[in-house]
Amino acid sequence: MHESYWITDLLNALFAGPVSALLNAVGIHPADAAHPINDTFALELLIALGLMAFFAVVRASLSVENPSALQQVAEIIHEFSGGQAEQIIGHGYQKFQAFTTCVFLFIIVMNLTGLIPGIVTPTSAPIVPLGIALCTFFYYHFFGFKEQGFVGYLKHFAGPIWWISWLLFPIEIISHCARVMSLTIRLYANMFASDLVTLVFFSLIPVAIPAVFLGLHAFVSLIQAYVFMLLSMIYLSEAVAHEH
C-alpha cells in the first residue's frame, strides 16, 4: 500500500474534519473521512505556498544596487515570459503576464517534482492539468468579455460573414470547449508517459541508464510548461484582440 507523504498526513491531521464536512456538503463523499486530502492536492498546495514564499522574499529584498540571487532568477523569468507575451499578445500584455508566468512556474515545478525519488509527478494525475486548463479557459474568456463587451466578444464566435454565423457560432463554442480537453490531455499524457518510462527503466536497470530518462523527464517538464504558457497567451491574444 502506498504510504502518504508527510505533507498529506499533516494536512489530514489538521483539516480532515472541515474538508470532509465541506465535501459532504457539496455531495462528494470521500472514501476515508479521516484522510480526505490526497497526495496530489497536498503537493499542489505545498508548491503553491512555496511559489508564494518565493515571490514574497523577492519582493521584500528588491535592490537595484545589489540584487540577490533570487531577484536575478525572478528577473530572468520575468523577462522571458514578458518577451513571449509581448510577441504573442502585443499591446497591453503586461496585465496578463502575471497569470501566464504563474501558470508556467506552477506547472514546471510540479513537473520537476517527479525527479525526486518516491514522488509521483502531480501533473500525471488528470485532475491537476484539468484544473489549470479550466482556470485558463475562464480567465481568457473573462478578459475577452471585459475588453470587448458582451456583444463585441460574442461576434468573434459568429465569424466575419453574417449569413453563415448560425453555423460558425456552435462550431466555435465547441472548439473553445475542446481547448480544455486539449490542454488537459497534452500535459497529462506527456507527464504520465514520462513517469512511466522512468519508473520502468529504474526497475529494470537501476544504475546509470535511468539518469538518461531523468534528463528526458526534465526536458519534457520544461517543454510542456512552456507549451501550456504559449497556448494560454495565444488564447488570450485572440480573446482581447480588437478588429480594425
Side-chain angles (χ1 to χ4, degrees):
M1 183 177 178
H2 171 68
E3 185 176 349
S4 297
Y5 307 142
W6 66 268
I7 183 64
T8 310
D9 294 333
L10 177 61
L11 289 174
N12 279 314
L14 295 174
F15 304 110
V19 170
S20 293
L22 177 62
L23 291 174
N24 286 315
V26 297
I28 301 173
H29 305 289
D32 185 355
H35 301 87
I37 301 173
N38 59 25
D39 289 334
T40 300
F41 177 81
L43 283 175
E44 279 190 281
L45 182 60
L46 182 63
I47 290 167
L49 292 175
L51 288 174
M52 291 170 63
F54 169 75
F55 294 138
V57 170
V58 170
R59 179 67 182 86
S61 60
L62 285 177
S63 173
V64 177
E65 293 80 13
N66 187 28
S68 64
L70 285 180
Q71 180 179 333
Q72 293 179 42
V73 171
E75 289 176 352
I76 291 172
I77 296 171
H78 179 77
E79 291 176 5
F80 169 71
S81 64
Q84 297 296 312
E86 185 176 15
Q87 291 181 33
I88 297 172
I89 301 173
H91 178 71
Y93 74 91
Q94 295 88 346
K95 69 174 68 175
F96 310 115
Q97 186 179 351
F99 175 81
T100 54
T101 302
C102 286
V103 166
F104 174 73
L105 291 176
F106 189 52
I107 292 175
I108 196 171
V109 173
M110 284 196 295
N111 289 350
L112 291 175
T113 56
L115 295 174
I116 303 174
I119 294 183
V120 178
T121 308
T123 42
S124 65
I127 191 65
V128 177
L130 176 61
I132 306 172
L134 286 172
C135 288
T136 302
F137 178 82
F138 288 117
Y139 182 85
Y140 80 77
H141 280 306
F142 171 80
F143 277 99
F145 284 113
K146 182 179 179 181
E147 293 288 321
Q148 305 196 54
F150 186 79
V151 176
Y153 187 55
L154 287 181
K155 286 181 179 178
H156 280 267
F157 297 88
I161 306 175
W162 66 269
W163 52 272
I164 59 169
S165 60
W166 62 272
L167 176 63
L168 292 179
F169 192 85
I171 292 176
E172 282 295 313
I173 295 295
I174 294 171
S175 70
H176 278 261
C177 292
R179 289 176 176 180
V180 176
M181 183 175 66
S182 174
L183 288 171
T184 301
I185 294 175
R186 180 183 291 104
L187 180 57
Y188 155 68
N190 279 280
M191 298 318 302
F192 177 78
S194 181
D195 264 2
L196 189 60
V197 169
T198 303
L199 178 63
V200 167
F201 275 88
F202 259 109
S203 302
L204 297 175
I205 314 170
V207 180
I209 296 298
V212 175
F213 291 93
L214 289 177
L216 180 62
H217 181 96
F219 178 72
V220 171
S221 298
L222 176 60
I223 291 299
Q224 290 306 311
Y226 178 63
V227 168
F228 204 108
M229 181 185 72
L230 283 186
L231 290 174
S232 300
M233 291 178 178
I234 291 171
Y235 298 156
L236 274 165
S237 69
E238 294 175 350
V240 301
H242 291 274
E243 294 182 357
H244 298 285

